[in-house]
Amino acid sequence: MGLLESISPRAIVASILLLTCLVHDVCARPSPEPRSAWVRKGPGRKKMADHIKRAVEGKRPRSTEPSCVETLATNIAAPKTNIWGELSHVEAAAVVQWLFAQPELNLTVTDKATAWDNTILLVESMRPNKTDALPYLDGNATAPTKYAHVVLDHRATESPYYADILVGPLPVDSTTTKWEPLTFPYTKKSGGKVRNLDADDVALYREWLLVIGASVADITRDLWNGTAMGLANDTLEIWGIDPLWQDNGRIIRWDTFWNLPTDNFGAETLLPLGLYFMSDVTGRDPSKWKLEGWLYNNIFYETTEEFRAAYWSPGFVKNGANVEGDWARTDQQGAVPPLDTAYPPTQITPAGTRFSVDMQQKYVEWMDFTFYIGFTRDTGMALFDIRYKGERLIYELGLQEALAHYAGNDPMQSGTAYLDTFYGFGPYAFELVPGYDCPAYATYLNTSFYVAETTHTHISSICLFEFAADFPMQRHSTSKYVSVTKNTHFTVRSVSTVGNYDYMFSYTFFMDGSIAVEVRASGYIQSAYFAHNEDYGFQIHDFLSGSMHDHVLNYKVDFDILGTANSVQLMTNVPVSKRYPWSKGRNRSTMALKRSFVESEADGRFNWDGNAVTQVLVVNEDEKNKYGEYRGYRVLPYTGTAHLTVKHSSNLANAAHWAEYDIQVTRQKDTEPRSAHPYNSQDVNDPPINFAKFFDGESLRKEDLVMWLNLGMHHVPHTGDLPNTVMTTAHSGIQFMPSNYFSMDQSRQTVNMVRIDYGNGTTSNVATFGQKQGNCSLDFEPVEPDLYGYTGDVVIRKFPFDPNDPYYETDSIA
Ligand SMILES: *[C@@H]1O[C@H](CO)[C@@H](O)[C@H](O)[C@H]1NC(C)=O
Ligand SMILES: *[C@@H]1O[C@H](CO)[C@@H](O)[C@H](O)[C@H]1NC(C)=O
Ligand SMILES: *[C@@H]1O[C@H](CO)[C@@H](O)[C@H](O)[C@H]1NC(C)=O
Ligand SMILES: *[C@@H]1O[C@H](CO)[C@@H](O)[C@H](O)[C@H]1NC(C)=O
Ligand SMILES: *[C@@H]1O[C@H](CO)[C@@H](O)[C@H](O)[C@H]1NC(C)=O
Ligand SMILES: *[C@@H]1O[C@H](CO)[C@@H](O)[C@H](O)[C@H]1NC(C)=O
Ligand SMILES: *[C@@H]1O[C@H](CO)[C@@H](O)[C@H](O)[C@H]1NC(C)=O
Ligand SMILES: *[C@@H]1O[C@H](CO)[C@@H](O)[C@H](O)[C@H]1NC(C)=O
Ligand SMILES: *[C@@H]1O[C@H](CO)[C@@H](O)[C@H](O)[C@H]1NC(C)=O
Ligand SMILES: [Cu+2]
């Protein structure tokens, strides 16, 4: 019968894995003990397969059955070097040493630098041009020459600026290595320089915000029993808008007071206090900065004296304070739901890891998919050269930028439009928690980023795992048989906590050849003081507004469908009234398909339509199937997506034109590798990358195309966002699915399906297609991995290079 094996239904039952709970109190009986008693000396971050192997090896035999284990994690060698990979410690150290030896850069070691010294902000691998990458990937060309991308913080000047430079070729060689301004990836031609509005951050706090805080200490003590004046016993903090107002040559900020949490929870963004002040902080001399006024309870006061006089006069209306409490804490609280303390369902991988990884090169093979993982400071994880059955589908898939645009009656919320790559997704891609962020059996990879002459390594910050969906890939029933296919998928995941918010990024691959891109959000919302904000959010606590905001996350998808000559076809179901030869002269009201191509960049920016009725297809017009249909991939929303509601944002000006539409298509260019620059917020009117300038009317037919897709969510936090936003609904996703790309569904190739023939009350045949059958024993140890193995970042000093003295240090924004 070949592959199609038939066995009796009883064997199916018999082959159900024999699960053995080794730790009975966890499996069977909820423990009333304190939390610390739950922590076990587990097997560390070893894979489940190792436990099984150990059991099978006889150290802890549970039964005489053969093992379920088919394979253990396979280490493979990537077919090519990962040209999007990170610099090695040695390479980074050599670049740093070389930079300090260039007198014209006039660099100071970060530890010793003041606000008036030049420092190195970033040293990382420069991604190669696609023009140079393809001949290497697809032909015999040598790997593209390696360069370092370096960002310098030039502060030894009246007009401080960030400078993007290229250093190379690598490895560093005193005669051939040079530096040059990095200019080609930016639309603004300014020698790779962007002004730095943050150069005097220390002076801003010490000599400005805290001084102003002290000047109203009588009021803050009276209102909130606290101060923000730089004392050890301050219970308030001051911070404000981002980006700063940047009009008419002035740099204006609005700041507000926040209560500091008294415990370890990061609840500060839930504790706004409703007093705001405006400052003109143009230039580098704090003595020339000006306080421009105060706002309280929607009344504006030009000066501190005016505000104080009003405050202490009779009838002044004082509002209450947001104060931390259990409502802002994420620990368990409230009545435990029925049976909740019993150990919950969990997935296992009885046959071990069914995929292969080159850990060094960050190259992955799962079923018929292969890809490389890249990682940068700005945008974190990205995938490259994604192939299915050996054929490239996508050259590059990765986050570009994430916007959180708030609004409000008050200047703090109205002025907030975070462009998160300023902070970076790489530095905040923290260690994942096995068993919680990803299955405990997942394979974990490290990522590294450069900061202040050190390389920080986030241990286990990318996870790779297979998972069985809770729904089948396929099924069908008749009166004679039922056929069902399992839906096993593969996910690559990282989480970045940028300040108050946690973004979970997942790329998921499916057996039918489809790919999903998803983002989920959790963490603390940035809330608003409630007064006068009724039109901008729900009131969610005593003096708190949920503060409406749009999340928009831009992804680059560089499709290569059967080569680089691709087109975007739109196909819409349209209502029609039509007479047919058979309709006897009568018109039929019905529908039909309308097809068109996105001809050029002039019509390359558009939205999902209201009824999701238009298919967006990336096709190769020269690669038709045998029926004459174009082979391609369809792009479709997986869950909700979002583009920015605000038109011509006062906060953003030209800094985030990428946020304006759901789908944007451009011609692929080496000069347009990214839709946003991390310092776009520093010069919003004339940012280093103005995405709108990518659209210059070029033809998009049979060209190498890039799709810039927005995920996101229109977030109006409600009481369910307290204490943290939940990932069940804070979720956005897009899928890429084959559309006439193959002659049939590719998931027919899996053996993980069954056909049961039945009738007359009996089953006559069960076809399992060569699935591994038979008995095996499995020791299921339902224990979290040793979570005391969670360490945070490992740091290695680069200047002086000290690879043998790593230390632990984890930095977060909040
Ligand atoms: C070099 O930087 C120092 C501060 O670190 C500054 O005082 C000096 O003027 C700079 N030299 C030049 C030539 O720019
Ligand atoms: C990458 O492409 C840009 C734009 O064509 C070019 O200026 C740059 O020199 C290229 N880089 C390399 C390393 O060839
Ligand atoms: C690569 O080199 C091999 C052997 O020299 C040759 O047969 C093949 O045609 C080359 N491939 C390309 C794409 O140049
Ligand atoms: C004010 O704060 C101080 C110390 O921060 C605390 O001891 C005191 O109880 C507070 N008073 C009120 C009324 O909350
Ligand atoms: C906070 O510290 C300052 C200076 O040490 C002191 O004068 C003040 O009384 C302290 N405030 C409270 C509430 O403890
Ligand atoms: C991650 O980093 C840790 C600490 O440096 C190291 O022990 C471990 O081998 C690394 N893991 C991988 C997959 O590279
Ligand atoms: C009826 O059908 C004909 C041809 O199919 C079409 O041209 C015409 O517009 C239709 N009439 C109406 C009223 O829609
Ligand atoms: C059910 O019984 C009928 C009559 O005996 C027989 O013809 C038919 O093949 C049986 N079907 C199955 C699925 O066994
Ligand atoms: C499974 O094990 C049971 C008990 O050891 C045995 O009776 C049965 O034949 C086995 N089945 C298979 C398919 O190996
Ligand atoms: Cu939100």
Side-chain angles (χ1 to χ4, degrees):
M1 287 175 110
L3 257 186
L4 209 148
E5 253 179 85
S6 294
I7 58 167
S8 82
R10 286 189 49 211
I12 290 278
V13 176
S15 72
I16 289 171
L17 305 173
L18 308 170
L19 301 187
T20 315
C21 282
L22 294 180
V23 184
H24 292 285
D25 65 325
V26 176
C27 253
R29 179 168 50 81
S31 167
E33 295 156 43
R35 213 178 142 67
S36 59
W38 283 72
V39 179
R40 302 192 160 69
K41 293 223 165 34
R45 261 176 302 267
K46 279 191 204 142
K47 286 175 209 66
M48 193 61 74
D50 292 349
H51 310 220
I52 299 158
K53 193 168 168 225
R54 200 173 49 208
V56 169
E57 280 164 354
K59 286 179 192 148
R60 221 174 29 176
R62 307 300 306 177
S63 82
T64 53
E65 315 295 348
S67 161
C68 300
V69 175
E70 183 81 347
T71 56
L72 293 173
T74 314
N75 282 308
I76 45 160
K80 303 266 173 167
T81 302
N82 184 343
I83 51 178
W84 312 276
E86 296 148 64
L87 293 178
S88 69
H89 284 306
V90 171
E91 284 170 329
V95 170
V96 173
Q97 194 176 18
W98 185 89
L99 288 166
F100 277 106
Q102 308 310 305
E104 72 278 19
L105 298 177
N106 193 17
L107 294 169
T108 300
V109 174
T110 306
D111 277 354
K112 304 197 172 90
T114 70
W116 289 84
D117 297 306
N118 299 339
T119 53
I120 303 172
L121 281 184
L122 178 67
V123 176
E124 69 180 9
S125 163
M126 176 71 189
R127 286 190 176 154
N129 287 336
K130 187 178 181 186
T131 305
D132 299 325
L134 290 188
Y136 171 65
L137 296 175
D138 299 340
N140 296 332
T142 54
T145 310
K146 210 164 176 178
Y147 289 85
H149 169 218
V150 171
V151 181
L152 302 176
D153 194 4
H154 282 276
R155 296 201 287 177
T157 161
E158 281 296 335
S159 308
Y161 61 92
Y162 300 108
D164 284 287
I165 66 170
L166 269 187
V167 176
L170 300 184
V172 168
D173 175 305
S174 56
T175 55
T176 56
T177 296
K178 304 260 182 304
W179 74 269
E180 59 179 307
L182 181 58
T183 55
F184 73 83
Y186 312 133
T187 54
K188 180 179 182 175
K189 297 305 169 196
S190 57
K193 296 175 183 177
V194 196
R195 71 177 179 193
N196 178 356
L197 298 182
D198 205 32
D200 298 298
D201 52 347
V202 174
L204 177 75
Y205 274 86
R206 288 201 193 134
E207 296 172 45
W208 191 252
L209 300 180
L210 294 176
V211 172
I212 292 170
S215 77
V216 292
D218 56 329
I219 294 171
T220 64
R221 278 202 193 93
D222 184 65
L223 267 177
W224 312 308
N225 186 33
T227 53
M229 51 195 289
L231 297 179
N233 60 13
D234 276 352
T235 58
L236 310 174
E237 208 168 57
I238 300 172
W239 48 271
I241 60 170
D242 175 12
L244 305 179
W245 288 4
Q246 305 167 31
D247 295 319
N248 309 317
R250 309 307 296 176
I251 303 301
I252 308 288
R253 43 185 308 133
W254 273 99
D255 290 277
T256 188
F257 290 79
W258 305 82
N259 243 330
L260 281 171
T262 53
D263 60 23
N264 254 339
F265 289 97
E268 185 178 352
T269 54
L270 294 182
L271 309 175
L273 293 167
L275 173 61
Y276 314 89
F277 61 92
M278 179 184 182
S279 332
D280 182 330
V281 293
T282 312
R284 298 205 66 180
D285 183 354
S287 73
K288 299 209 170 95
W289 296 347
K290 286 196 295 290
L291 181 70
E292 305 252 281
W294 292 87
L295 183 77
Y296 187 77
N297 204 15
N298 214 24
I299 302 167
F300 185 74
Y301 306 92
E302 299 279 347
T303 64
T304 307
E305 294 67 41
E306 195 188 317
F307 172 48
R308 173 171 287 106
Y311 185 86
W312 292 115
S313 62
F316 183 86
V317 178
K318 300 174 192 176
N319 291 318
N322 288 303
V323 180
E324 192 211 25
D326 282 345
W327 66 278
R329 298 183 181 119
T330 48
D331 274 359
Q332 197 281 332
Q333 55 187 301
V336 175
L339 301 182
D340 179 65
T341 54
Y343 198 85
T346 188
Q347 285 206 4
I348 54 172
T349 54
T353 303
R354 305 197 311 163
F355 56 92
S356 309
V357 183
D358 181 332
M359 298 274 182
Q360 204 67 41
Q361 296 295 329
K362 291 199 169 77
Y363 169 78
V364 181
E365 293 185 356
W366 174 74
M367 299 289 154
D368 286 323
F369 281 101
T370 64
F371 56 87
Y372 294 83
I373 302 173
F375 190 85
T376 61
R377 180 241 169 242
D378 295 351
T379 54
M381 172 176 77
L383 307 188
F384 289 89
D385 197 20
I386 302 173
R387 294 178 190 229
Y388 186 64
K389 296 182 195 280
E391 192 79 53
R392 179 179 310 120
L393 297 175
I394 295 174
Y395 173 77
E396 178 181 357
L397 170 58
L399 180 72
Q400 300 293 300
E401 180 58 286
L403 165 68
H405 197 306
Y406 294 73
N409 186 65
D410 69 74
M412 174 69 211
Q413 298 303 313
S414 185
T416 302
Y418 293 118
L419 291 167
D420 280 331
T421 66
F422 176 78
Y423 306 96
F425 286 89
Y428 305 107
F430 295 121
E431 185 173 355
L432 297 161
V433 180
Y436 292 84
D437 286 320
C438 320
Y441 60 74
T443 296
Y444 292 88
L445 301 178
N446 298 340
T447 60
S448 296
F449 64 99
Y450 179 93
V451 57
E453 284 83 46
T454 64
T455 302
H456 282 233
T457 298
H458 290 305
I459 294 169
S460 303
S461 47
I462 292 177
C463 67
L464 310 165
F465 60 91
E466 274 193 299
F467 211 72
D470 63 357
F471 59 96
M473 174 70 77
Q474 168 278 335
R475 80 172 319 291
H476 188 62
S477 289
T478 73
S479 60
K480 297 194 174 64
Y481 78 98
V482 56
S483 124
V484 197
T485 308
K486 289 185 182 177
N487 182 2
T488 308
H489 56 74
F490 178 72
T491 297
V492 187
R493 174 171 291 168
S494 74
V495 176
S496 292
T497 304
V498 186
N500 52 308
Y501 244 73
D502 300 61
Y503 298 96
M504 174 177 280
F505 302 106
S506 305
Y507 297 103
T508 300
F509 300 83
F510 299 88
M511 297 296 286
D512 63 342
S514 63
I515 302 171
V517 180
E518 287 168 278
V519 60
R520 289 183 170 82
S522 189
Y524 284 98
I525 59 166
Q526 176 171 310
S527 59
Y529 194 69
F530 81 113
H532 311 284
N533 269 325
E534 303 79 14
D535 291 342
Y536 303 91
F538 293 117
Q539 183 168 346
I540 57 172
H541 206 251
D542 296 346
F543 308 104
L544 202 62
S545 160
S547 198
M548 69 185 294
H549 54 281
D550 278 1
H551 293 280
V552 190
L553 296 100
N554 191 240
Y555 281 79
K556 177 182 182 181
V557 196
D558 181 347
F559 282 105
D560 284 352
I561 301 297
L562 301 162
T564 55
N566 295 163
S567 308
V568 175
Q569 189 181 29
L570 304 178
M571 191 174 79
T572 309
N573 299 14
V574 289
V576 294
S577 172
K578 208 174 160 182
R579 211 174 305 131
Y580 299 91
W582 45 265
S583 61
K584 291 246 165 187
R586 281 185 298 236
N587 270 34
R588 307 270 310 154
S589 286
T590 180
M591 63 183 171
L593 294 175
K594 196 177 120 208
R595 295 182 172 94
S596 65
F597 282 97
V598 176
E599 292 293 341
S600 80
E601 288 177 345
D603 47 25
R605 310 178 78 188
F606 51 97
N607 293 327
W608 298 114
D609 57 20
N611 193 22
V613 81
T614 301
Q615 294 199 13
V616 176
L617 302 157
V618 182
V619 300
N620 189 317
E621 291 185 67
D622 297 321
E623 294 284 346
K624 295 180 183 168
N625 69 8
K626 66 176 169 184
Y627 313 110
E629 303 288 358
Y630 302 129
R631 296 176 65 193
Y633 258 68
R634 179 180 172 193
V635 179
L636 73 164
Y638 187 33
T639 61
T641 68
H643 61 269
L644 181 60
T645 308
V646 181
K647 302 283 181 209
H648 314 292
S649 166
S650 302
N651 297 325
L652 295 173
N654 295 314
H657 288 306
W658 54 264
E660 292 165 356
Y661 295 87
D662 293 328
I663 306 157
Q664 299 168 92
V665 193
T666 61
R667 180 90 68 86
Q668 192 283 331
K669 288 190 184 146
D670 288 340
T671 51
E672 294 172 356
R674 285 199 40 199
S675 61
H677 187 284
Y679 299 135
N680 270 12
S681 61
Q682 302 293 293
D683 198 351
V684 294
N685 296 300
D686 188 14
I689 298 179
N690 179 346
F691 181 71
K693 291 192 177 168
F694 287 17
F695 294 85
D696 40 16
E698 286 168 304
S699 166
L700 297 177
R701 290 288 289 275
K702 302 189 185 182
E703 294 289 351
D704 194 356
L705 303 181
V706 175
M707 250 191 204
W708 310 88
L709 296 170
N710 283 324
L711 268 54
M713 133 193 207
H714 305 290
H715 195 182
V716 184
H718 59 108
T719 51
D721 287 86
L722 296 177
N724 277 185
T725 294
V726 288
M727 291 190 176
T728 39
T729 48
H731 179 203
S732 178
I734 279 187
Q735 253 175 321
F736 312 132
M737 55 169 268
S739 173
N740 300 312
Y741 189 92
F742 299 104
S743 59
M744 64 180 289
D745 164 33
Q746 298 303 290
S747 75
R748 291 313 80 213
Q749 291 180 230
T750 181
V751 300
N752 289 300
M753 58 166 77
V754 67
R755 192 191 73 244
I756 304 170
D757 297 333
Y758 70 102
N760 298 343
T762 57
T763 295
S764 56
N765 185 44
V766 174
T768 56
F769 310 99
Q771 285 178 42
K772 190 169 156 54
Q773 299 295 343
N775 294 344
C776 62
S777 77
L778 172 69
D779 283 338
F780 172 51
E781 200 172 354
V783 181
E784 287 96 84
D786 176 12
L787 297 180
Y788 276 101
Y790 194 92
T791 57
D793 299 358
V794 171
V795 185
I796 291 181
R797 180 154 290 283
K798 288 291 172 317
F799 191 78
F801 188 31
D802 196 357
N804 299 319
D805 188 23
Y807 56 98
Y808 291 97
E809 185 177 276
T810 302
D811 297 327
S812 71
I813 296 174

